[in-house]
Amino acid sequence: MNSDIPFSPHDDNRFYQGVVATWVANALQAVNFLGDRFLRQSHQLSTAIEDLYRHSMDSAFSAKESFLVTGAPHASAYYPRDFAWFYPDVLDPETIMDSQDAIRRVRLLEKSVRLMLEAVRANVVTTTIVPAGRARYLGVNYFSRPSDTLLGIIAGLQQMISADQRASSYLAMSQSAHAGRLLLAEYGADLKRAILLLASELEPFGDDGFRYLLCDASAPRSAATDTRAERRRFVTNACVYTTFVWGMQLGVIHENELTGLLGRDLAQYKKELLRLFGKGGYVRHSLDGPAGSPVSEVALDFVSVHRGFWDLSEASERALFAATTDLIIAEPRFRIPSTFHFLVSADNPRNKVIHKIAAPAYQGRSSWPTFNVEFADRMLDYDEFSGSDVYRPYAQGILKDIRTATEVHGGYQELLSEQGLKYRTWAYKGAVAHSWFPRFLSVWRRAFGTPLLHWND
């Protein structure tokens, strides 16, 4: 909705967006981020990975929390996209410490997903939801309209519904699946409306005589790498495609409804995206601006999201993935020296003015452990479907270095500087990303064949 008039799907929650709501949200966020940078105290914790993990789970899923968040300074706002990008495995039984941990996770995930679905019903599909007092929420876009908010909401709902499909002794998992199905029945029509609106917003883009559909042909759309100001990005359009596929898998929408809007079926739509962004033989991050060297044209977020865009059972997709991966691996500027910490990009991106001033390398020459975890997971996908072990050593190296950094820095980091230190600038200090930790454990188990940590309920 485009005004500051509240809409209340339930009597206890109201959502606002518009000029006034954005101004208030910006003021709240500015105070929070600057306050966190200068007032947050460092705490000495055990460097044992088991102790760090237990502390993170107690913090991320505390009974006091009302929504699943990354950690300070982000903890004062809600980012729906994170449910697809950063914590798709919070209900993985192997990452759960005991039955109480399972209950807390299920309860917090349900509360979070319900609130996001209420926002969808209120037509507040924004990158960020900022709490503004009791049961009052402001919808605001940082720093452009979202490409992956619906993706995150669907991912959270999927995770709830599929919770009982993994072998587990936790009763909370079946309770989560039941609650997820109830939410789907209650809010499915709202999700469908939002997905159809997203499909209707795609714009034609001509290239080499072909006509493509992009979500960001004329203006940037936000994704997990939201500070990057480029248009025509691979990752934003991969997120939109995945939203459509996941919506179909949930039964929220049928493909023929999307085909009528897109003028092609989803298989053709994906094929066109791969042809457009992969015409150089690798995945070009953005078509906005002049072409450069291959290394300058790729970014680590091409790995997209867990069980999302990539289907590495397809030989053509494996070839494109491998070519892009090899460019990143072979370029020394793409990693922290003497490590397997890969940077988001070899060069800092085009940024908004605020980021050039406050945190220029935030999503450029910095290393995000969570993007590296997804990189490792896609590498393992490649090896599984190619019947080889080409990338497993790299995947294992990535995970070992993340473990080391977690122990050295006393927690799972949001990001690291290009020198391998905690990322901080005069205005910003990276979070200890408590809620991202379970995803790391899930991929570790896959890469090494054994859990990193063992729990006894």
Side-chain angles (χ1 to χ4, degrees):
M1 57 199 307
N2 296 316
S3 72
D4 290 287
I5 299 173
F7 177 95
S8 181
H10 292 282
D11 290 340
D12 53 343
N13 288 328
R14 292 178 179 271
F15 297 86
Y16 304 78
Q17 65 177 343
V19 175
V20 175
T22 297
W23 186 89
V24 174
N26 288 343
L28 292 171
Q29 287 291 82
V31 169
N32 173 66
F33 272 73
L34 290 174
D36 177 82
R37 172 63 183 90
F38 294 106
L39 300 178
R40 191 201 316 173
Q41 300 295 317
S42 296
H43 300 283
Q44 289 296 109
L45 298 174
S46 166
T47 58
I49 196 74
E50 296 89 347
D51 294 338
L52 292 170
Y53 185 76
R54 186 173 293 279
H55 172 74
S56 287
M57 296 306 95
D58 289 342
S59 297
F61 301 102
S62 167
K64 297 178 181 179
E65 297 293 340
S66 59
F67 196 91
L68 183 54
V69 296
T70 294
H74 305 286
S76 68
Y78 305 150
Y79 301 84
R81 62 173 174 241
D82 288 2
F83 290 78
W85 279 96
F86 300 140
Y87 26 83
D89 274 338
V90 297
L91 297 188
D92 178 357
E94 289 195 0
T95 75
I96 295 174
M97 300 182 295
D98 53 39
S99 58
Q100 287 304 307
D101 185 26
I103 291 169
R104 290 183 315 190
R105 296 192 194 196
V106 165
R107 286 178 176 172
L108 189 57
L109 183 60
E110 180 184 356
K111 288 168 67 175
S112 301
V113 172
R114 178 176 288 279
L115 182 65
M116 293 189 295
L117 288 170
E118 288 181 11
V120 171
R121 178 165 288 179
N123 293 324
V124 179
V125 181
T126 53
T127 69
T128 313
I129 301 172
V130 179
R134 183 176 178 82
R136 300 292 188 269
Y137 300 95
L138 310 175
V140 61
N141 288 319
Y142 297 122
F143 291 89
S144 53
R145 295 170 60 221
S147 65
D148 54 356
T149 286
L150 289 176
L151 183 70
I153 296 169
I154 294 172
L157 192 53
Q158 280 181 329
Q159 188 169 181
M160 289 182 65
I161 292 171
S162 63
D164 60 354
Q165 295 176 13
R166 292 180 172 182
S168 171
S169 61
Y170 299 123
L171 178 61
M173 296 299 137
S174 59
Q175 294 171 338
S176 175
H178 178 66
R181 288 190 287 269
L182 291 178
L183 287 175
L184 178 60
E186 184 176 358
Y187 292 97
D190 303 297
L191 273 177
K192 177 178 179 177
R193 171 178 47 79
I195 292 170
L196 289 174
L197 178 60
L198 177 63
S200 71
E201 292 172 344
L202 301 186
E203 303 171 297
F205 176 72
D207 184 80
D208 290 342
F210 292 98
R211 190 176 178 85
Y212 302 93
L213 283 178
L214 300 179
C215 72
D216 55 354
S218 59
R221 294 287 288 255
S222 177
T225 41
D226 58 354
T227 67
R228 303 182 70 109
E230 305 104 333
R231 300 170 298 166
R232 303 160 194 165
R233 295 172 62 198
F234 171 76
V235 67
T236 52
N237 289 281
C239 285
V240 170
Y241 166 82
T242 307
T243 300
F244 296 155
V245 172
W246 287 359
M248 288 170 47
Q249 291 173 353
L250 274 182
V252 169
I253 195 165
H254 297 289
E255 184 169 10
N256 60 357
E257 296 173 293
L258 291 168
T259 300
L261 287 171
L262 303 180
R264 68 267 279 160
D265 62 26
L266 289 186
Q268 181 63 25
Y269 173 50
K270 180 178 183 180
K271 182 179 179 181
E272 291 173 357
L273 291 178
L274 289 171
R275 180 172 62 198
L276 176 63
F277 289 98
K279 63 182 179 180
Y282 54 87
V283 177
R284 185 174 172 185
H285 168 69
S286 170
L287 307 180
D288 191 8
S293 66
V295 167
S296 69
E297 293 181 342
V298 300
L300 195 63
D301 62 6
F302 89 98
V303 297
S304 195
V305 295
H306 177 49
R307 296 178 181 171
F309 183 85
W310 291 97
D311 178 7
L312 295 182
S313 66
E314 291 288 335
S316 60
E317 292 193 37
R318 285 201 306 274
L320 194 57
F321 174 85
T324 312
T325 296
D326 291 347
L327 279 173
I328 292 171
I329 290 174
E331 175 53 55
R333 292 189 303 123
F334 239 111
R335 69 172 85 179
I336 296 171
S338 303
T339 74
F340 285 95
H341 291 298
F342 292 94
L343 308 180
V344 178
S345 56
D347 304 296
N348 285 332
R350 182 189 314 167
N351 283 332
K352 303 278 187 180
V353 173
I354 186 174
H355 303 114
K356 290 179 181 177
I357 296 171
Y362 181 66
Q363 288 172 339
R365 290 196 56 77
S366 58
S367 176
W368 289 59
T370 188
F371 289 156
N372 276 268
V373 165
E374 295 309 314
F375 193 26
D377 199 45
R378 295 303 89 70
M379 289 178 174
L380 297 172
D381 286 341
Y382 180 95
D383 283 0
E384 176 183 335
F385 288 111
S386 66
S388 66
D389 272 330
V390 173
Y391 294 119
R392 182 173 296 272
Y394 293 101
Q396 292 176 337
I398 287 170
L399 298 170
K400 287 178 180 178
D401 280 346
I402 292 173
R403 174 183 178 171
T404 297
T406 300
E407 293 173 328
V408 167
H409 297 303
Y412 194 89
Q413 299 299 302
E414 178 194 12
L415 72 166
L416 301 170
S417 73
E418 60 183 304
Q419 292 80 34
L421 304 175
K422 290 184 179 182
Y423 184 85
R424 57 166 57 92
T425 69
W426 69 269
Y428 182 82
K429 178 162 52 174
V432 179
H434 297 306
S435 56
W436 300 2
F437 215 155
R439 176 64 178 149
F440 168 72
L441 259 62
S442 295
V443 179
W444 179 286
R445 171 68 173 82
R446 185 183 185 196
F448 292 97
T450 185
L452 175 60
L453 303 175
H454 299 268
W455 309 108
N456 295 310
D457 189 6

